Amino acid sequence: MRIGTGYDVHRLVENRALILGGVKIEHPRGLLGHSDADVLVHAIMDALLGALALGDIGKHFPDSDEAYKGCDSLVLLKKVGELVNEKGYRINNIDSTIIAQAPKLRPYMEMMAENIGRTLDLSRDRVSVKATTEEGLGFTGSQEGIAANAVVSLVKGEIIK
């Protein structure tokens, strides 16, 4: 068994869509980044890559490469999932948390988990998406940005659906 952790953060800015877990969320600001800046998916990708000691998403999808400009992070997640499978591992489960003061994310979390599960060919009960605030503290509490963290476990062998 392998365990990996991932963390990502992006600044909230005007004139950008807010995408989390592949879901477009109604909000006056979105996350700044080279791709769609989906912090949740980025944290999950880093956790998967870290579990196999394969570096991070910057190594595999550098922001200096125009091919990834504005890219849908779920497309990148699919590539990371394929890399995990090529190495002979299968995703056992994903546990993730989004840290954001606003907007309220509960109405979107099920759809986020479904998107991630579908992208990685995992059953819904293997993907956990949670959200929390920092009670007005720090950069997420002051709504300067949104962060996410993820933990994944991988097993050697057959695909677990």
Side-chain angles (χ1 to χ4, degrees):
M1 176 182 284
R2 296 284 197 112
I3 307 294
T5 65
Y7 176 81
D8 195 35
V9 60
H10 285 275
R11 178 182 305 276
L12 282 163
V13 296
E14 301 291 330
N15 301 313
R16 286 279 295 201
L18 178 57
I19 309 292
L20 295 170
V23 177
K24 186 174 181 182
I25 297 169
E26 290 301 318
H27 193 62
R29 296 184 295 159
L31 295 170
L32 180 63
H34 187 66
S35 66
D36 63 7
D38 188 330
V39 293
L40 175 60
V41 173
H42 292 185
I44 292 169
M45 287 191 293
D46 268 347
L48 291 167
L49 291 166
L52 294 175
L54 295 175
D56 60 20
I57 61 174
K59 176 181 176 182
H60 294 268
F61 312 108
D63 63 8
S64 58
D65 189 334
E66 287 299 307
Y68 304 118
K69 186 172 179 134
C71 187
D72 179 341
S73 292
L74 290 176
V75 170
L76 304 179
L77 178 63
K78 183 163 187 64
K79 291 179 181 186
V80 171
E82 290 166 355
L83 183 58
V84 169
N85 292 337
E86 287 169 13
K87 295 293 183 183
Y89 284 86
R90 305 298 174 246
I91 301 167
N92 183 52
N93 75 301
I94 298 169
D95 184 23
S96 61
T97 305
I98 303 164
I99 303 110
Q101 194 66 35
K104 295 296 181 195
L105 297 174
R106 181 153 316 281
Y108 306 99
M109 289 189 303
E110 182 66 27
M111 191 181 313
M112 291 178 204
E114 288 173 5
N115 285 345
I116 293 161
R118 184 174 45 257
T119 299
L120 295 170
D121 199 24
L122 297 173
S123 62
R124 175 60 191 87
D125 66 338
R126 295 190 178 277
V127 180
S128 171
V129 174
K130 306 179 302 290
T132 191
T133 70
E134 291 187 307
E135 302 296 329
L137 299 173
F139 71 90
T140 62
S142 64
Q143 299 184 47
E144 294 175 60
I146 294 177
N149 62 46
V151 177
V152 303
S153 67
L154 306 179
V155 294
K156 195 84 165 156
E158 294 297 314
I159 294 176
I160 300 170
K161 294 193 181 197

